[in-house]
Amino acid sequence: MSRGPDWLSYRRYAAFTTGMALTLISLGIYTAATGSGLACAQQWPLCDGGVLPQSIPSFIEWFHRLWAMITGFLILGAAVWAWRSRGSVSTRGRFAVTLATVLTPMQAIFGAVTVTLNGALPGGYSAPVHAAHFLTGFSIFALLSYATLLAYDGRFSRDALARGRLAVGAGLVGLLVAWVLARIDPVSSYSPVEQAGFFAVSLAAFASLLAATRWLGELDELIPRAATGAAAVLLFVGMVLGRDLVVYSAGVRFVNWLVLATAVALTAGAAWALRGVEPDVSEPAYGSTDD
């Protein structure tokens, strides 16, 4: 697309939309944790019988749905932009953002079943629907993150090794912060704010690990790449265990602890393994807009 200000590029738009999706998931976690999900029920965009909400729980739910609507339109815009800019957006990038767009209405439907239609639909707020709501939201974020990475191919001044080290370091820091906020830590009360913070940091760490896994693919060092990929998968499992989808017994708590501990160990191991790797001065420019 040729119209618009010079500073607004597709890759920046994709990155901004990904950040909006991360914030939306965190807002959804906070809304559910505070018990505000049913505040507006079937009245939205109205709430409490008026245009604006009249209580804090109502405002939380009203604002969450407003953010979701804006994010949904941004995701749709990213798909339209990608397909109208075929020469500058790779095929994989177009299909990733398109799949995220297809999943967005499904995410809205699952959200409606859990809150808006909860009183009218038997079993609306149940573990399967709750799980589907989270999984679709996470999938949208993961697809947008991947599409953003593809959009930035060839736009970095750092070589693959430097970028990989930076991404691994960011992933490790994110994992350690998530550990503090997770429900496995006795220091954490897993309050609504801590729950939202845990998922915000975990999603950022996941995106960093995804970036590390992709960028390290340019190197012959396959072990660090496999470690960051496995850590990303384990982090996702840790997020699932943090959503009250199963009875959080002592056994589940131990599994949750083991999953996050292994993710931290794998990421730290990848960072350590990359310390002795020398950059390849003959390395070609990273990425292209071709497949």
Side-chain angles (χ1 to χ4, degrees):
M1 296 178 67
S2 58
R3 298 180 181 179
D6 294 336
W7 57 265
L8 181 58
S9 62
Y10 171 77
R11 61 182 182 275
R12 289 175 177 171
Y13 181 90
F16 179 78
T17 303
T18 303
M20 289 287 289
L22 184 153
T23 306
L24 174 60
I25 295 174
S26 302
L27 281 173
I29 299 296
Y30 181 78
T31 301
T34 57
S36 304
L38 299 176
C40 293
Q42 302 176 35
Q43 301 178 49
W44 197 90
L46 303 178
C47 208
D48 296 331
V51 177
L52 297 176
Q54 303 298 314
S55 65
I56 293 179
S58 296
F59 175 78
I60 293 172
E61 170 63 358
W62 179 84
F63 185 76
H64 167 235
R65 296 198 198 185
L66 176 64
W67 195 280
M69 181 182 68
I70 295 173
T71 303
F73 281 119
L74 287 173
I75 294 172
L76 176 61
V80 173
W81 193 334
W83 283 99
R84 292 188 63 183
S85 306
R86 297 188 182 186
S88 58
V89 180
S90 69
T91 300
R92 285 175 293 174
R94 292 197 301 271
F95 278 104
V97 74
T98 299
L99 183 54
T101 305
V102 172
L103 290 176
T104 298
M106 297 177 58
Q107 170 75 351
I109 291 172
F110 288 131
V113 170
T114 56
V115 291
T116 306
L117 302 177
N118 180 57
L121 187 66
Y125 193 86
S126 60
V129 176
H130 194 41
H133 186 54
F134 174 73
L135 293 177
T136 51
F138 174 83
S139 298
I140 291 169
F141 172 78
L143 288 165
L144 291 174
S145 298
Y146 182 64
T148 300
L149 286 173
L150 294 175
Y152 272 90
D153 276 3
R155 301 291 181 175
F156 295 98
S157 59
R158 295 172 178 264
D159 58 34
L161 179 59
R163 284 183 272 112
R165 284 171 171 166
L166 181 62
V168 171
L172 181 58
V173 171
L175 280 168
L176 292 174
V177 175
W179 182 289
V180 175
L181 297 173
R183 66 193 307 179
I184 61 171
D185 195 324
V187 177
S188 171
S189 61
Y190 209 54
S191 66
V193 172
E194 288 172 317
Q195 290 185 48
F198 168 73
F199 280 92
V201 173
S202 296
L203 290 170
F206 177 87
S208 298
L209 293 172
L210 181 65
T213 303
R214 173 166 173 76
W215 292 336
L216 293 177
E218 294 182 71
L219 307 175
D220 293 330
E221 302 291 333
L222 298 180
I223 294 179
R225 186 188 188 197
T228 56
V233 174
L234 289 172
L235 178 56
F236 165 71
V237 175
M239 285 188 278
V240 171
L241 293 176
R243 285 305 300 131
D244 290 325
L245 301 179
V246 295
V247 177
Y248 204 73
S249 61
V252 173
R253 181 188 183 93
F254 174 75
V255 171
N256 198 358
W257 179 91
L258 185 63
V259 163
L260 291 181
T262 305
V264 170
L266 286 171
T267 307
W272 180 265
L274 291 173
R275 290 176 69 252
V277 179
E278 295 295 332
D280 184 2
V281 295
S282 63
E283 177 185 329
Y286 176 74
S288 68
T289 55
D290 298 325
D291 296 326

